[in-house]
Amino acid sequence: MILGIGTDLANIDRIEATLARFGDRFRDRVFTPREQQKAEGRPRSVAATYAKRWAAKEACSKALGTGLRMGIAWKDMAVTNLRSGQPVMHVTGWAAQRLAQMTPEGHEAVIHVTLTDDHPWAQAFVVIEARPLRPGPA
């Protein structure tokens, strides 16, 4: 069952200008160290990588039904990648609490995220799914 859907579109040039203006203050407020390492390790697409993660955080907060209010912090949502490159959303803090609240008993929440960019745009789409837990052996 679908618990929430969120999407966001971010302007890469705007993120690049914000990075130039605020630097580490912006990076440290919004992105986890692992997200920063990923972005800074892509010299040809630093701003695009940050913009996709910004959009993912916005989309995730919308899928949680709150937007960026009600206690959610930017770093309560973080994107990593599997070896295959597939993005994975992790939630902690208030975002994890909100996810637990919206997950029906007997289910586990799974967050699906997809990211894309085509300069000057970066886009993210998040779907939160509730999957029934498998009953244990009797």
Side-chain angles (χ1 to χ4, degrees), residues 12-81:
I12 296 168
D13 293 333
R14 181 174 153 246
I15 296 296
E16 187 170 42
T18 302
L19 287 164
R21 183 172 179 194
F22 298 105
D24 287 342
R25 203 167 92 206
F26 172 66
R27 280 183 200 85
D28 293 340
R29 182 174 152 252
V30 176
F31 303 101
T32 66
R34 192 167 177 186
E35 288 175 309
Q36 291 180 43
Q37 181 181 9
K38 177 76 169 183
E40 299 299 327
R42 294 179 155 176
R44 297 178 72 195
S45 60
V46 171
T49 302
Y50 279 122
K52 286 186 282 190
R53 277 147 180 78
W54 171 280
K57 292 167 188 271
E58 287 273 7
C60 185
S61 72
K62 292 171 186 175
L64 289 168
T66 63
L68 283 161
R69 57 184 176 85
M70 295 176 59
I72 284 186
W74 285 103
K75 292 196 284 188
D76 284 350
M77 301 164 288
V79 177
T80 62
N81 295 85

Side-chain angles (χ1 to χ4, degrees), residues 113-137:
V113 61
T114 186
L115 309 173
T116 191
D117 68 283
D118 186 5
H119 196 272
W121 301 107
Q123 184 178 27
F125 191 76
V126 171
V127 174
I128 301 176
E129 171 190 13
R131 288 187 188 158
L133 295 172
R134 293 184 181 171

Side-chain angles (χ1 to χ4, degrees), residues 85-135:
Q86 176 184 345
V88 178
M89 177 65 71
H90 305 275
V91 293
T92 58
W94 197 93
Q97 291 174 17
R98 172 67 182 147
L99 183 61
Q101 289 171 352
M102 60 191 287
T103 304
E105 190 173 322
H107 290 74
E108 66 177 339
V110 179
I111 303 174
H112 304 276
V113 61
T114 186
L115 309 173
T116 191
D117 68 283
D118 186 5
H119 196 272
W121 301 107
Q123 184 178 27
F125 191 76
V126 171
V127 174
I128 301 176
E129 171 190 13
R131 288 187 188 158
L133 295 172
R134 293 184 181 171

